[in-house]
């Protein structure tokens, strides 16, 4: 027990047994709100990412435009699917690779002050940026899928969109891992 240790944070009035002044939900809400404001504060970044995605999707769509299902077409479709995945992976990894290093001093100060927990910070920040990380794969897939001439049908399109969105969000998490390391 650290009761005699002068450097140990002693319980205070209004502080629960975990040592935080706010509940988990209050911490999460505050971090989510702050992160959402940070996303909204820079609308040009959102516009640039969406425009960049639309341009790259148009380029890939025009390169692989109107593939037919013969031997060459199948190989070209394989190439286009490879570009789908690599584009979503690298675009999202590099979009977040400097996030935590830029916010590290503020995070460490606020963590040391026991204003919030690490899990509330991570979840709030991730959920605040989730609309962008869903919009980018949606724009990319919506442009390239019909241009390349992939399998027609709403269910096939939605399956592709779901997979591309998962790839984008996994690569975002990988970018966060690299940023933390």
């Amino acid at each position: 027990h650290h009761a005699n240790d002068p450097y140990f944070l002693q319980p205070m009035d209004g502080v629960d047994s975990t040592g935080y002044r706010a509940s988990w939900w209050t911490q999460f809400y505050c971090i989510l709100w702050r992160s959402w404001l940070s996303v909204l504060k820079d609308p040009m970044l959102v516009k640039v990412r969406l425009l960049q995605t639309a341009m790259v999707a148009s380029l890939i769509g025009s390169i692989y435009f109107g593939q037919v299902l013969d031997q060459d077409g199948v190989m070209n479709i394989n190439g286009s699917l490879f570009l789908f995945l690599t584009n979503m992976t690298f675009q999202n990894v590099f979009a977040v690779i400097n996030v935590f290093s830029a916010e590290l001093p503020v995070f460490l100060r606020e963590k040391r002050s026991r204003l919030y927990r690490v899990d509330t910070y991570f979840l709030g920040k991730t959920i605040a940026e989730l609309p962008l990380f869903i919009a980018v794969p949606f724009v990319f897939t919506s442009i390239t899928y019909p241009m390349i001439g992939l399998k027609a049908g709403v269910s096939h399109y939605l399956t592709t969109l779901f997979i591309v969105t998962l790839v984008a969000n996994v690569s975002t998490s990988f970018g966060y891992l690299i940023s933390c390391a």
Side-chain angles (χ1 to χ4, degrees):
H1 197 273
H2 300 280
N4 298 330
D5 189 350
Y7 298 107
F8 185 73
L9 183 64
Q10 298 298 322
M12 297 171 50
D13 292 334
V15 176
D16 63 6
S17 61
T18 62
Y20 294 98
R21 292 186 170 89
S23 70
W24 189 93
W25 286 106
T26 305
Q27 294 174 33
F28 174 73
Y29 174 77
C30 290
I31 293 296
L32 180 64
W33 182 252
R34 184 172 76 177
S35 298
W36 180 247
L37 290 178
S38 176
V39 169
L40 293 179
K41 186 173 62 175
D42 200 359
M44 184 57 82
L45 181 67
V46 173
K47 291 175 187 169
V48 165
R49 289 236 14 232
L50 291 174
L51 181 66
Q52 174 191 8
T53 301
M55 291 174 64
V56 170
S58 299
L59 179 67
I60 292 172
S62 62
I63 290 171
Y64 293 102
F65 187 79
Q67 295 298 316
V68 293
L69 288 178
D70 59 6
Q71 186 64 36
D72 290 336
V74 170
M75 295 301 290
N76 288 339
I77 289 172
N78 281 341
S80 69
L81 294 177
F82 174 77
L83 286 176
F84 256 70
L85 298 177
T86 55
N87 181 61
M88 281 297 104
T89 301
F90 289 115
Q91 182 179 5
N92 287 295
V93 166
F94 291 124
V96 298
I97 206 159
N98 292 322
V99 167
F100 289 125
S101 58
E103 295 183 5
L104 189 63
V106 173
F107 170 75
L108 290 176
R109 183 178 67 237
E110 292 176 348
K111 173 79 174 85
R112 234 179 272 120
S113 300
R114 301 187 68 75
L115 293 176
Y116 50 78
R117 302 157 45 126
V118 175
D119 58 339
T120 56
Y121 172 78
F122 179 77
L123 285 172
K125 185 146 195 55
T126 303
I127 291 173
E129 295 175 349
L130 197 59
L132 182 62
F133 294 129
I134 290 174
V136 166
F138 176 77
V139 168
F140 185 81
T141 306
S142 297
I143 293 172
T144 53
Y145 196 90
M147 285 182 77
I148 294 171
L150 297 176
K151 194 167 184 176
V154 173
S155 64
H156 302 296
Y157 166 77
L158 291 175
T159 302
T160 304
L161 179 61
F162 179 70
I163 292 169
V164 171
T165 303
L166 285 179
V167 167
N169 285 284
V170 166
S171 61
T172 300
S173 296
F174 184 67
Y176 284 146
L177 174 74
I178 293 171
S179 181
C180 289

